[in-house]
Amino acid sequence: MSFALQKQGEIVVVDVEGQLIVGNRQELKQKVLDELERGERKFLIDFSQTGYIDSSGLGVLVSLSKKIREQGGELRLANLNEDLKTLFELTKLDTLFQIADSRERALESF
Amino acid sequence: MSFALQKQGEIVVVDVEGQLIVGNRQELKQKVLDELERGERKFLIDFSQTGYIDSSGLGVLVSLSKKIREQGGELRLANLNEDLKTLFELTKLDTLFQIADSRERALESF
Amino acid sequence: MAAPASGNGGSIADIHLRLTLETSIPSDVRFIERIVALVQRQCRELSYPNRQCALNIPVALAEAIANAILYGNLADPGKAVRVHADANAERVVIEVVDEGSGFDLERSVIDPTAPENIRREDGRGLYLMLKLMHRVERFTRDGNVVRLTLRRDE
Amino acid sequence: MAAPASGNGGSIADIHLRLTLETSIPSDVRFIERIVALVQRQCRELSYPNRQCALNIPVALAEAIANAILYGNLADPGKAVRVHADANAERVVIEVVDEGSGFDLERSVIDPTAPENIRREDGRGLYLMLKLMHRVERFTRDGNVVRLTLRRDE
Ligand SMILES: Nc1ncnc2c1ncn2[C@@H]1O[C@H](COP(=O)(O)OP(=O)(O)O)[C@@H](O)[C@H]1O
Ligand SMILES: Nc1ncnc2c1ncn2[C@@H]1O[C@H](COP(=O)(O)OP(=O)(O)O)[C@@H](O)[C@H]1O
């Protein structure tokens, strides 16, 4: 599992490859906060290559969203498969995040 | 698992895909005997796509070899991986069969 | 019992199959993924619906092991978490055992979807376990046991 | 116990793992392949050497199940063959149980490599089981049991 960051225009795109769970969420958090520190403000996390997410992974998304918003930035999500969508629905986090069906649509939406 | 037959010059080449075991050895036997009946005399069985062989699979090879020889024909084997080689060595069937390291060499050897 | 189609080796529907797994890991969250993958594979061997193998089992089990490591064993690497999974065609039963003194399951669950909680970072673990499993039990038996039961969805 | 390398989820060497399988199949040789594949997968999950997973386990197990079906149960589809596999890091123990009245293991083995036998079609099953396993036992316990034991090769 790993997190691949790349810049698309002025948006930082993060691919979550594998799981987002208690064992690695800190790594995702640090990588995104480093970019925020560097002045980046627009973030997109792409879950097309993600397996499962646990509650601490969800927690890190909530916390990042808050921190990014505090700096006047925005965090959006894309490519949740049916199972991951269910996870967001069960926790009502689908009401907290802007979730796009594709990377392209997410990038356009900023 | 299946047995794919093809003609290479005057040699009938049989690919054993998957296992050669009690559940399917009869199918191999019948396919080869049908060709023998039709007048074919040179047979090569290629094990490059084979998983494992059980004692009844080995038995069918012995029986086919005998039947083909009785008609003045020849059965050769090719592409036994290390594990299959061990099986032939344990049963000393490596002394009964002509076994080639590659299909090309087996085809040339006839 | 139906005869299997010729040559396809018989389908799961024709055989009775039970798979179990017993493991013991140090209290280190880096082991969670591997254990989850093993149980997920059992779920797949038994032809459970994809959603149960890809969502219900991995999320609930990852939560239970994480809690056992972090709250039960306080991440003490000298303490072990034991996992026992027992799966057949009808249900998967998983027990996660830590060396802690246990906790009150009902009182520890919050509703993370309530407006006052939705922005919290924590508090979604037990809630998700309860949502994703047919039954969640907690009891003490040679350690603090959390038992998850999932029935096959048809 | 060594800490796993960061992020790799821990290796098999760090955890204690035991996998078991229990199954019951009709006396039909078409089921053999699927059961063998399941036990092979357990062997792989436990990181046994490839040769043991690809040669020793499948051949010996396929032989034992075939014999149980054909000699023990005389291919009567109303009779079942039970297979129980119990694997950990050190050894795999497999029991194959049929509804027959048993047989004399020592007297049933021939040497298929002897000049008078080498051209025979049959008689290699028990011989291969003995060559490929560390131990082969036969006893009666709620049926005719053939127990195969394979120790991990280092
Ligand atoms: N195995 C355990 N041992 C002791 N306490 C536990 C255990 N599992 C859960 N708890 C308690 O239940 C609470 C709620 O857990 P959970 O719903 O997973 O949320 P979170 O882990 O985010 O706090 C924990 O904060 C802890 O107090
Ligand atoms: N499960 C069993 N029940 C009864 N007899 C058996 C069983 N397994 C093996 N045997 C006996 O042992 C003999 C030798 O078996 P084996 O070495 O596998 O060779 P083959 O199956 O080719 O005859 C069989 O012919 C049979 O008489």
Side-chain angles (χ1 to χ4, degrees):
Chain A
M1 46 194 187
S2 72
F3 307 105
L5 273 71
Q6 55 174 286
K7 205 66 189 295
Q8 298 248 295
E10 54 176 358
I11 302 161
V12 177
V13 182
V14 187
D15 279 292
V16 176
E17 294 160 8
Q19 331 315 335
L20 175 56
I21 52 181
V22 60
N24 69 350
R25 62 173 168 159
Q26 206 47 48
E27 189 187 333
L28 173 68
K29 190 169 184 177
Q30 202 49 57
K31 282 190 168 172
V32 171
L33 290 183
D34 287 351
E35 297 300 319
L36 190 65
E37 184 97 340
R38 263 190 217 110
E40 301 296 345
R41 289 297 175 262
K42 296 182 175 174
F43 293 88
L44 169 61
I45 304 186
D46 187 321
F47 292 98
S48 54
Q49 296 170 67
T50 308
Y52 56 93
I53 303 180
D54 72 5
S55 67
S56 74
L58 295 173
V60 130
L61 298 177
V62 172
S63 141
L64 282 174
S65 169
K66 204 184 297 174
K67 289 209 160 65
I68 292 169
R69 207 142 343 125
E70 282 165 9
Q71 302 296 321
E74 184 86 56
L75 169 65
R76 293 186 183 170
L77 313 180
N79 282 322
L80 294 170
N81 65 30
E82 283 308 307
D83 297 330
L84 294 178
K85 252 181 219 153
T86 300
L87 210 55
F88 277 74
E89 285 160 14
L90 287 174
T91 53
K92 296 218 171 115
L93 289 179
D94 57 332
T95 64
L96 214 64
F97 289 97
Q98 279 223 36
I99 302 172
D101 277 347
S102 74
R103 189 160 177 143
E104 293 65 40
R105 238 171 277 174
L107 289 171
E108 286 164 12
S109 75
F110 276 93
Chain B
M1 46 194 185
S2 72
F3 307 105
L5 273 71
Q6 55 175 286
K7 205 67 190 294
Q8 297 248 297
E10 54 176 357
I11 302 161
V12 177
V13 182
V14 187
D15 278 292
V16 177
E17 293 159 9
Q19 331 315 335
L20 175 56
I21 52 181
V22 61
N24 68 350
R25 62 174 168 157
Q26 206 49 46
E27 189 187 333
L28 174 68
K29 191 169 184 176
Q30 202 48 57
K31 282 190 168 172
V32 170
L33 290 182
D34 286 350
E35 297 301 319
L36 190 65
E37 184 96 339
R38 263 191 219 109
E40 301 295 344
R41 289 297 176 262
K42 295 181 178 176
F43 293 88
L44 169 60
I45 304 186
D46 187 321
F47 294 97
S48 55
Q49 296 169 69
T50 308
Y52 56 92
I53 303 179
D54 72 5
S55 67
S56 74
L58 293 174
V60 132
L61 297 177
V62 171
S63 141
L64 282 174
S65 169
K66 204 184 295 172
K67 291 208 158 66
I68 292 170
R69 202 129 3 114
E70 282 166 10
Q71 303 297 323
E74 184 86 53
L75 168 65
R76 293 184 182 173
L77 313 180
N79 283 321
L80 295 170
N81 66 29
E82 283 309 306
D83 296 330
L84 294 178
K85 252 181 219 156
T86 300
L87 210 54
F88 277 74
E89 285 161 13
L90 285 175
T91 52
K92 294 217 173 118
L93 289 179
D94 57 332
T95 65
L96 213 65
F97 288 97
Q98 279 222 38
I99 302 172
D101 277 346
S102 74
R103 188 157 174 148
E104 292 65 41
R105 238 171 277 174
L107 289 170
E108 286 164 12
S109 75
F110 275 93
Chain C
M1 196 164 289
S6 169
N8 77 354
S11 83
I12 181 76
D14 299 303
I15 67 176
H16 300 283
L17 182 59
R18 177 183 178 191
L19 299 171
T20 79
L21 168 155
E22 265 176 55
T23 187
S24 173
I25 57 170
S27 294
D28 182 322
V29 294
R30 288 171 297 185
F31 289 100
I32 296 174
E33 199 176 4
R34 164 138 171 90
I35 305 307
V36 169
L38 284 164
V39 180
Q40 244 179 330
R41 228 123 55 196
Q42 294 194 321
C43 184
R44 297 227 155 86
E45 300 273 23
L46 285 157
S47 304
Y48 274 68
N50 193 53
R51 146 153 304 215
Q52 295 196 303
C53 302
L55 173 69
N56 303 66
I57 289 280
V59 175
L61 178 55
E63 296 300 342
I65 303 178
N67 283 351
I69 291 173
L70 301 175
Y71 302 122
N73 291 349
L74 300 169
D76 176 348
K79 290 184 174 170
V81 171
R82 282 174 291 139
V83 178
H84 185 264
D86 183 338
N88 65 21
E90 282 92 45
R91 85 287 173 291
V92 181
V93 180
I94 307 173
E95 293 183 359
V96 177
V97 189
D98 63 53
E99 302 186 30
S101 47
F103 63 104
D104 185 324
L105 181 58
E106 270 92 72
R107 291 209 200 164
S108 303
V109 193
I110 63 156
D111 176 4
T113 69
E116 68 274 20
N117 291 329
I118 187 124
R119 291 195 152 73
R120 278 177 62 165
E121 254 199 82
D122 63 347
R124 293 181 185 86
L126 293 173
Y127 175 84
L128 280 174
M129 281 161 55
L130 289 161
K131 286 283 179 190
L132 295 170
M133 294 286 117
H134 286 102
R135 188 186 293 168
V136 180
E137 296 156 285
R138 196 220 68 81
F139 55 91
T140 300
R141 191 189 62 206
D142 194 18
N144 169 51
V145 185
V146 171
R147 183 197 280 156
L148 311 173
T149 304
L150 180 74
R151 289 196 294 270
R152 177 195 294 271
D153 261 358
E154 286 319 324
Chain D
M1 197 165 287
S6 169
N8 76 354
S11 82
I12 180 75
D14 299 304
I15 67 174
H16 300 282
L17 183 59
R18 177 184 178 188
L19 299 171
T20 79
L21 168 155
E22 264 174 55
T23 187
S24 172
I25 58 170
S27 294
D28 182 322
V29 294
R30 289 171 298 184
F31 289 99
I32 296 174
E33 199 176 5
R34 164 137 171 90
I35 306 306
V36 169
L38 283 164
V39 180
Q40 247 181 328
R41 228 123 56 198
Q42 294 195 321
C43 184
R44 295 225 156 87
E45 300 272 24
L46 285 157
S47 303
Y48 274 68
N50 193 53
R51 147 154 301 215
Q52 295 195 302
C53 302
L55 173 68
N56 302 67
I57 290 279
V59 176
L61 178 55
E63 296 300 342
I65 303 178
N67 283 351
I69 291 173
L70 301 175
Y71 302 121
N73 291 350
L74 300 170
D76 175 348
K79 291 185 174 170
V81 171
R82 282 175 290 138
V83 178
H84 185 265
D86 183 337
N88 65 20
E90 283 91 47
R91 87 288 173 288
V92 181
V93 180
I94 307 173
E95 292 183 359
V96 178
V97 188
D98 63 54
E99 301 187 32
S101 49
F103 64 104
D104 185 325
L105 181 58
E106 270 91 72
R107 289 207 201 167
S108 302
V109 194
I110 62 155
D111 177 4
T113 69
E116 67 275 20
N117 291 329
I118 188 123
R119 290 194 154 72
R120 277 178 63 164
E121 254 200 83
D122 64 346
R124 292 180 187 86
L126 294 173
Y127 174 84
L128 280 175
M129 281 162 55
L130 288 162
K131 285 283 178 190
L132 295 170
M133 292 287 117
H134 285 103
R135 189 187 292 167
V136 179
E137 297 156 283
R138 195 220 68 82
F139 55 92
T140 300
R141 192 190 61 206
D142 195 17
N144 171 50
V145 185
V146 171
R147 182 196 280 155
L148 311 172
T149 304
L150 180 74
R151 288 195 295 270
R152 176 196 295 273
D153 262 356
E154 288 316 327

